[in-house]
Amino acid sequence: MKCQHCEKPATFHITELTEPSGPTVLHLCEEHARTFLSADGTATPASALASLLAKQLKMEKVAEDLAISDKKTCPICGISFADFRKGGRLGCAYDYVAFEDELEPLLVNIHGALAHTGKVPTNQSGSPERQHRLMQLKSEMKEAITREDYETASRLRDKISSIESDDESSWTDDALDEDVDDEDEEDDTFQAEPPIV
Amino acid sequence: MRGHGPESDIVMSSRIRLARNLAEFPFIRKCTPKDRTAVATAVHRALDSLPLSADTEYVDVAKLGDLDRQFLMERQLISHELNESQGARAVILDPKERFSIMVNEEDHLRLQVMQSGLDLESAWKRMDQLDDQLESKLTYAFTKRLGYLTACPTNVGTGLRVSVMLHLPALVTTKQIDKVFRALNKINVAVRGLFGEGSQFMGDFYQISNQTTLGKSELGLVAKVQEVVPRLIEYERRARDFLVSESRQDLHDNVSRALGILCTAKKISSEETMHYLSKVRMGVNLGLIEDVKIPTVNKLFIHTQPAHLQKLCGRKLSVTDRNIERANYLQLHLSKRSENEKN
């Protein structure tokens, strides 16, 4: 079968589900498949399609998407997604949170699954979000001590010890949002999701 | 590779490994030398407070010489990566070599449990207990959604690799091995050489293992590998039967010549030794070679490796000297005639 737009053989057969008139089938060569994907920009159906096609394109994402992903950096260990792609190894557990969108298609490709169904440790305090929160609180406490704001420092110390005593409710996302709202006026930099640098 | 256990004429060993990381440290590539030492100390301390520490030995791999490290690698107690890498790293050894725990390999912890012959379920049971014990003292990086978090996304989830080492000389001789492996790859079962990832297929030994670690339970992954092995055993047996029925004389000649070379060579490389030992092993299993025992052959596979040979001689040897010593060693253990002469 030939590509709909040129004489080359069609190697991509895409079923487009976004049309109001129902699914449309496209037969494209590799070059036109890439153009088709990048033209659709960042709209959700297109990105869903992109992740699907990433498999066919041997994990080569459309160049622009890749450039954006590559610049993402983990706020904890500091590696960028490009660093990971080069070495094939992640820098810390929080990378699974920081690069969630990028890793998802990769995990589907490798494992054909996205959810753990195996063993669960009895001690579940090793979540990367918890580690992230602890690190952040500790650095805030240090800062508070430096500027001699002992009241804030002692509040932060209590919070740290409450997290360290494995009180799960103290570091879940809901609790974190509340923390930001009701407490530290200076602390408006915390986001449940790390910032994209 | 003690030569016993179910299906031990074809299955050399069953092996299970788990990848684990400590929650409070970055993964290895971002560990500072201080972090690496702290990880090793945390693991050492955790181990000391466990009952199993009484029977285990904590070995500081960074302090070992080249020969000792290679020796541990040849016994498959440490990996190539742990042998070659730099910085603080360790291995915890069970004196009976039923398990080992590598510290600061690709992940902070690599636990492995070994078993002779085909017995994955009991290997998993022992691994599960070992993991439980360590977990009671250490906090692993874990999320409910993705499971145990690992440095490489190929291990995330269970962090489990289930592998079975098979000796498949007849499938190699009848040139069916590639066909079998293509079929295995289609069902997400990986094939590796004797020393794991990237190693050569030496002595017709192949490691069969699961390729995925996420989305299935540990027992599900064990079952998947367990399911494939009997079929491979059957193919190998059929190929052996075919060789015996179609060309018994050629086969007999072939394995006897292999034994002849091993018994009479004056200089022999490790690779050549593996090649001929493999044929001898098949010959013994098919009753074509009578005066050699399987445990002897299994032992020779390991003892003729470079580091083992040097340990046995008690000194460092050049490649040429090793080839001479290897030939002597083989002669001593394989040829009755030479034993009588020496006695």
Side-chain angles (χ1 to χ4, degrees), chain B residues 126-144:
Chain B
R126 289 199 285 123
M127 172 58 93
D128 196 20
Q129 285 167 3
L130 180 66
D131 183 46
D132 283 347
Q133 285 197 47
L134 282 167
E135 187 227 293
S136 70
K137 304 288 172 191
L138 298 164
T139 306
Y140 293 152
F142 177 89
T143 65
K144 278 182 187 149

Side-chain angles (χ1 to χ4, degrees), chain B residues 159-301:
Chain B
L160 181 75
R161 176 150 292 145
V162 182
S163 52
V164 176
M165 177 87 73
L166 299 167
H167 186 225
L168 306 173
L171 283 176
V172 175
T173 308
T174 56
K175 299 192 166 58
Q176 294 179 80
I177 200 89
D178 289 339
K179 205 169 74 190
V180 171
F181 290 162
R182 275 199 298 276
L184 286 176
N185 268 322
K186 275 189 197 150
I187 54 163
N188 281 333
V189 173
V191 183
R192 295 181 174 81
L194 184 57
F195 294 108
E197 219 155 336
S199 66
Q200 292 287 313
F201 297 123
M202 281 194 298
D204 306 321
F205 289 114
Y206 296 88
Q207 271 194 72
I208 311 295
S209 57
N210 59 307
Q211 231 161 20
T212 65
T213 54
L214 181 69
K216 275 202 171 67
S217 71
E218 287 79 1
L219 281 172
L221 292 169
V222 166
K224 188 171 176 152
V225 175
Q226 187 109 7
E227 200 183 282
V228 175
V229 175
R231 271 192 280 162
L232 288 170
I233 294 172
E234 198 199 316
Y235 293 153
E236 171 66 18
R237 286 206 205 290
R238 251 192 260 163
R240 288 182 186 186
D241 289 348
F242 172 83
L243 287 175
V244 171
S245 65
E246 296 295 309
S247 48
R248 188 184 169 93
Q249 222 162 20
D250 285 347
L251 184 67
H252 202 166
D253 177 60
N254 193 273
V255 299
S256 305
R257 279 167 185 270
L259 180 62
I261 289 170
L262 293 173
C263 290
T264 54
K266 298 295 169 221
K267 274 163 85 178
I268 190 163
S269 73
S270 171
E271 214 166 286
E272 202 181 354
T273 305
M274 295 279 272
H275 177 72
Y276 290 123
L277 275 176
S278 170
K279 289 180 189 293
V280 169
R281 192 174 191 278
M282 176 164 67
V284 177
N285 276 327
L286 291 174
L288 299 170
I289 294 173
E290 282 172 351
D291 48 2
V292 181
K293 299 270 171 289
I294 284 293
T296 309
V297 182
N298 288 354
K299 192 178 80 179
L300 288 174
F301 272 115

Side-chain angles (χ1 to χ4, degrees), chain A:
Chain A
M1 186 181 283
K2 279 180 188 166
C3 169
Q4 283 173 233
H5 301 304
C6 68
E7 291 297 302
K8 283 184 200 153
T11 44
F12 289 86
H13 309 281
I14 303 162
T15 310
E16 174 73 293
L17 300 169
T18 51
E19 292 285 329
S21 55
T24 318
V25 184
L26 298 162
H27 306 284
L28 303 168
C29 66
E30 186 171 330
E31 195 185 325
H32 280 106
R34 280 174 193 274
T35 320
F36 171 74
L37 284 170
S38 50
D40 254 0
T42 52
T44 8
S47 52
L49 197 62
S51 67
L52 227 144
L53 273 172
K55 203 170 174 179
Q56 265 185 303
L57 287 163
K58 289 178 187 160
M59 293 314 291
E60 269 179 54
K61 283 177 92 184
V62 181
E64 293 155 43
D65 280 2
L66 207 57
I68 297 168
S69 295
D70 274 357
K71 281 185 192 147
K72 269 199 186 176
T73 303
C74 170
I76 300 230
C77 70
I79 73 158
S80 66
F81 192 69
D83 293 336
F84 161 68
R85 287 204 309 117
K86 265 178 236 150
R89 301 278 185 279
L90 295 164
C92 75
Y94 198 75
D95 290 354
Y96 282 99
V97 180
F99 306 135
E100 191 182 356
D101 295 343
E102 287 70 27
L103 288 174
E104 211 159 90
L106 191 72
L107 292 175
V108 171
N109 200 359
I110 300 169
H111 303 284
L114 269 176
H116 175 60
T117 54
K119 189 172 176 175
V120 170
T122 36
N123 171 6
Q124 282 187 40
S125 57
S127 128
E129 284 95 341
R130 179 182 181 274
Q131 293 302 319
H132 182 206
R133 184 63 178 148
L134 272 175
M135 252 179 69
Q136 200 161 32
L137 289 171
K138 281 177 185 169
S139 94
E140 280 167 28
M141 185 172 76
K142 257 189 203 162
E143 277 172 34
I145 293 169
T146 316
R147 61 173 191 270
E148 299 186 354
D149 178 0
Y150 298 114
E151 201 183 320
T152 308
S154 106
R155 215 168 46 218
L156 287 165
R157 188 201 54 214
D158 291 348
K159 192 166 282 179
I160 291 167
S161 57
S162 125
I163 295 178
E164 282 179 338
S165 65
D166 289 341
D167 177 5
E168 194 168 319
S169 64
S170 61
W171 57 269
T172 53
D173 286 349
D174 294 348
L176 295 182
D177 289 342
E178 278 169 32
D179 287 349
V180 176
D181 295 341
D182 69 14
E183 212 193 85
D184 281 326
E185 281 165 25
E186 288 154 41
D187 180 6
D188 56 358
T189 53
F190 179 77
Q191 295 162 7
E193 289 292 317
I196 298 165
V197 184

